[in-house]
Amino acid sequence: MGSLDGKIAVVTGASAGIGEAIARRLAAAGATVVLAARREDRLAALAQQLGGKTGYFAIDLAVPDAPQALLDHVTAHYGTPDIVVHNAAVLHVGSIDEFDLAHLQPMIAINYESVVRSCYLFARAMKAAGRGHIVNISSLGANITAVGTGIYGGLKKALEMFTDALRIELAGTGVKVGLVAPGTTSTEIFEPMKADGKAAWDTYIPALDPDDIAGAVLFLLEQSPRANAARVHVYSAHEVF
């Protein structure tokens, strides 16, 4: 038997990278996994690979009512979710002179607003059921102050503060809340930087693999009912900050 047998898990940003790796780990642990992202073709292919207990829902989480639509879909087809992992995110960096402000609102919508909306909606359903686990994927960038990274890092810092406050509010309800903060991990999130001619962070050091982050998420979910490993930081073995 797997550690997550009988659990219904939702993973956002599941079409590639860390989200895909998390979905694979949770499915291998026995969970029924619902994949959520924009690219339906990739979701369908991954669901087929993972087998009969895996479903998917193609959705743009930047749309304000998307989290409610996702929750409604999961509840109608699978029941009250036990786990939701908020992984979807976008990355754009640049100095004051070069940052394209057209990227600002999409970053706010995906990296922060959609997670807050989803957390509240899923938390209400989980609290009513007396059980559940919310995991938000942050970044070690939340604690790094560097030129050009203030928007991304600031949004992740805000997400961490929100996550901590939600954990405290839900303490004792049967609903756990926590976060995993990855270091430099080789994923598609760096593609906008490379498209702009910038050297992505994974070119400087040997980076983490998405499965390294998925393992940390599973570790958090496998804690005993008494424990909440609410904040897990995963550094590349070569990172020195």
Side-chain angles (χ1 to χ4, degrees), residues 98-113:
E98 65 183 358
F99 185 83
D100 185 349
L101 288 172
H103 295 315
L104 177 59
Q105 188 55 44
M107 284 182 69
I108 294 171
I110 294 291
N111 294 14
Y112 185 72
E113 183 178 350

Side-chain angles (χ1 to χ4, degrees), residues 199-213:
W201 300 334
D202 60 350
T203 63
Y204 297 115
I205 61 170
L208 292 156
D209 185 84
D211 187 63
D212 297 323
I213 311 308

Side-chain angles (χ1 to χ4, degrees), residues 138-180:
S138 179
S139 169
L140 294 181
N143 297 300
I144 298 173
T145 304
V147 172
T149 66
I151 297 171
Y152 179 78
L155 290 170
K156 288 299 187 181
K157 190 70 171 181
L159 177 62
E160 293 198 352
M161 181 176 292
F162 169 78
T163 302
D164 286 341
L166 191 65
R167 172 184 60 80
I168 292 167
E169 182 174 352
L170 290 171
T173 67
V175 183
K176 295 182 182 181
V177 181
L179 65 87
V180 173

Side-chain angles (χ1 to χ4, degrees), residues 26-234:
L26 302 193
T32 296
V33 181
V34 182
L35 314 168
R38 290 175 296 175
R39 295 177 290 189
E40 186 169 6
D41 56 337
R42 291 200 180 191
L43 295 178
L46 179 57
Q48 185 174 23
Q49 289 179 30
L50 296 182
K53 291 201 299 180
T54 304
Y56 66 90
F57 188 55
I59 194 166
D60 182 357
L61 290 167
V63 177
D65 61 359
Q68 183 68 64
L70 176 59
L71 176 59
D72 290 345
H73 174 84
V74 174
T75 302
H77 291 84
Y78 304 94
T80 302
D82 300 286
I83 298 164
V84 60
V85 183
H86 294 115
N87 165 75
V90 293
L91 171 66
H92 294 282
V93 299
S95 68
I96 293 172
D97 294 325
E98 65 183 358
F99 185 83
D100 185 349
L101 288 172
H103 295 315
L104 177 59
Q105 188 55 44
M107 284 182 69
I108 294 171
I110 294 291
N111 294 14
Y112 185 72
E113 183 178 350
S114 72
V115 182
V116 171
R117 289 178 182 274
S118 185
C119 279
Y120 275 136
L121 293 169
F122 277 79
R124 289 167 185 168
M126 291 174 173
K127 186 178 178 182
R131 69 180 193 281
H133 209 140
I134 297 170
V135 181
N136 294 333
I137 304 300
S138 179
S139 169
L140 294 181
N143 297 300
I144 298 173
T145 304
V147 172
T149 66
I151 297 171
Y152 179 78
L155 290 170
K156 288 299 187 181
K157 190 70 171 181
L159 177 62
E160 293 198 352
M161 181 176 292
F162 169 78
T163 302
D164 286 341
L166 191 65
R167 172 184 60 80
I168 292 167
E169 182 174 352
L170 290 171
T173 67
V175 183
K176 295 182 182 181
V177 181
L179 65 87
V180 173
T184 303
T185 308
S186 287
T187 72
E188 293 179 359
I189 201 169
F190 292 123
E191 288 185 356
M193 293 178 66
K194 295 174 182 178
D196 289 340
K198 299 182 178 72
W201 300 334
D202 60 350
T203 63
Y204 297 115
I205 61 170
L208 292 156
D209 185 84
D211 187 63
D212 297 323
I213 311 308
V217 172
L218 187 60
F219 166 78
L220 196 156
L221 294 173
E222 289 180 334
Q223 296 297 299
S224 78
R226 300 181 303 276
N228 183 7
R231 187 180 283 255
V232 179
H233 288 192
V234 186

